[in-house]
Structures are given as C-alpha cells and as structure tokens.
Amino acid sequence: QKEVEQNSGPLSVPEGAIASLNCTYSDRGSQSFFWYRQYSGKSPELIMFIYSNGDKEDGRFTAQLNKASQYVSLLIRDSQPSDSATYLCAVNLISGGYNKLIFGAGTRLAVHP
Amino acid sequence: ETGVTQTPRHLVMGMTNKKSLKCEQHLGHNAMYWYKQSAKKPLELMFVYSLEERVENNSVPSRFSPECPNSSHLFLHLHTLQPEDSALYLCASSQDREGAVAGELFFGEGSRLTVL
C-alpha cells in the first residue's frame, strides 16, 4: 500500500479558475503535512504546511487537512499559467527525533490561458 | 538559489565505475538527506543524517554509500551501479530545532545520474 497517494494528472484548469489538488495518506501517526511545488527541471520548494485539522490560507493558496479521513488538499485560487508545475504532497513521520518526509508521486497541474 | 549546492549536475557512468555525488549546504542546518527521484515515482528517501549521525538507512542497496564528514557536507559514493539506478538524486537539508518549521526541506538542484 502506497503511503502517500496523489492523482498523477495532468489536472488542466483555465486561467483564473480554482485548482483543487488532493492527497491521502496511510499512516495515522503522521504529524505534519506539506505541499511542495516542483517546476520541470527544478527541485521541489515548500509552498504550504499544515499541522491541525481545518483550513490554512496563505495568499492564493489554501491547505485543508482532515486527519480522521487521512486527507489533505491544496486549493489554488485565481490560477495563473505560472502555477503550472507538479505539486508534491508530503507527510512528516517524526521518528526518533528527526524528520522523515514521505512524498507522493505528485500531481501535474497545467493552467492554460 | 536555495543554499544547497550539488555537484556534479550531470553524471554518466558505467556499471563498473566508482563515482561520488557531493552536497554542500550554506544554511547552518543540522540535518541532511538524500532522496532519489525517478520518473512518475514518488521521491524515495534514501538516507538521513541528523547532527552528522546517520539516523535513517531506508533499505538502500550497499552499492550506495553515504558519508557526512560535517554538518555542511554530504556525499553519496557510488560503485557497481545498475542501469535502474539512473535517476535524479536530490540532496536536502533542514533545521531540526524549536522555532523552525519541522519538515521544511531545502533541496539542491539535483544530480542527474545515468548508468550505462
């Protein structure tokens, strides 16, 4: 069983629309949750993190966490072509005092003008 | 520029070669990581070093050998690799102490490895 699952996409949305990216995880011991963005040919960069159930907003991005359902999502409002990238969901299994980030395979987002 | 530098950026090697990947972080972090990224697969955690001590060895074959001589440098020594080891190898660092975002990794640009 995959530890972190994401739909590989591509998810295609028009410019200005809301993009909704979803992720499920299997380990109930996961303590914190992350969304990384990876442009083609580049390394991943952190865009959002969330620790508690509910919503967390940062600019055009909203992360949503439901621990009971083991579900994390990322909403991107007013999508721009520059948002076109692969979005990686990651969960932190803090173990033995160090961070152990487990990643999903990513969802490719394409925002078209 | 993330403050994590990897060299070389591209490496082609035969199955009998021995080579090394190098990672250097200029962020004063206390943990460093090696991840493997293959096409359409999740990033695979290979090794974790916390305070220069290896704390995670995620069932990685012995043909990959990590070395962390100090908190700023991390190496991945490669020998007798297989073609299926061809991938992007990403180094990352993090600050594992109070006040830092637990789990925020800063990645290097990666070393693209091709094994012939």
Side-chain angles (χ1 to χ4, degrees):
Chain A
Q1 181 184 1
K2 292 182 183 177
E3 294 189 66
V4 180
E5 291 209 49
Q6 297 180 254
N7 187 321
S8 62
L11 173 65
S12 182
V13 300
E15 185 174 355
I18 296 176
S20 177
L21 305 161
N22 305 312
C23 170
T24 58
Y25 61 94
S26 60
D27 193 324
R28 288 192 175 273
S30 304
Q31 300 191 22
S32 47
F33 307 86
F34 302 82
W35 285 99
Y36 282 77
R37 177 177 61 200
Q38 187 173 23
Y39 290 113
S40 181
K42 298 293 186 181
S43 58
E45 57 177 334
L46 179 67
I47 53 171
M48 287 286 288
F49 63 91
I50 186 166
Y51 298 153
S52 305
N53 279 328
D55 294 1
K56 179 182 179 183
E57 187 174 319
D58 183 2
R60 295 187 296 114
F61 299 97
T62 299
Q64 298 174 317
L65 173 62
N66 183 326
K67 290 187 179 180
S69 301
Q70 295 175 246
Y71 178 88
V72 194
S73 65
L74 179 70
L75 301 178
I76 306 176
R77 289 181 299 282
D78 188 23
S79 296
Q80 302 296 310
S82 58
D83 295 325
S84 298
T86 297
Y87 289 80
L88 308 176
C89 174
V91 302
N92 194 4
L93 308 175
I94 297 176
S95 169
Y98 65 93
N99 295 303
K100 181 177 177 178
L101 242 64
I102 307 300
F103 285 82
T107 298
R108 189 158 64 88
L109 172 66
V111 180
H112 53 87
Chain B
E1 177 60 53
T2 63
V4 181
T5 304
Q6 289 187 244
T7 55
R9 294 292 308 278
H10 300 274
L11 178 62
V12 179
M13 59 187 289
M15 289 191 285
T16 58
N17 291 158
K18 289 184 181 181
K19 297 285 183 183
S20 295
L21 306 181
K22 178 183 176 183
C23 177
E24 183 175 1
Q25 59 98 358
H26 310 276
L27 301 168
H29 288 168
N30 57 10
M32 297 187 77
Y33 309 76
W34 280 116
Y35 278 89
K36 175 184 178 182
Q37 188 172 38
S38 305
K40 304 211 189 286
K41 295 173 84 173
L43 275 110
E44 298 174 48
L45 179 61
M46 300 176 71
F47 301 104
V48 180
Y49 277 82
S50 179
L51 299 173
E52 300 159 44
E53 178 183 346
R54 190 193 311 180
V55 294
E56 180 80 19
N57 178 356
N58 207 24
S59 303
V60 179
S62 60
R63 56 186 183 270
F64 295 91
S65 175
E67 179 189 0
C68 187
N70 55 61
S71 60
S72 299
H73 294 86
L74 185 64
F75 295 88
L76 188 62
H77 303 298
L78 316 168
H79 63 100
T80 59
L81 294 191
Q82 305 298 310
E84 60 264 29
D85 296 323
S86 299
L88 181 68
Y89 288 84
L90 289 164
C91 173
S93 70
S94 71
Q95 183 65 305
D96 292 347
R97 69 168 169 241
E98 197 159 344
V101 174
E104 180 175 16
L105 302 184
F106 292 78
F107 285 90
E109 292 296 328
S111 294
R112 173 71 62 186
L113 173 66
T114 302
V115 182
L116 303 177

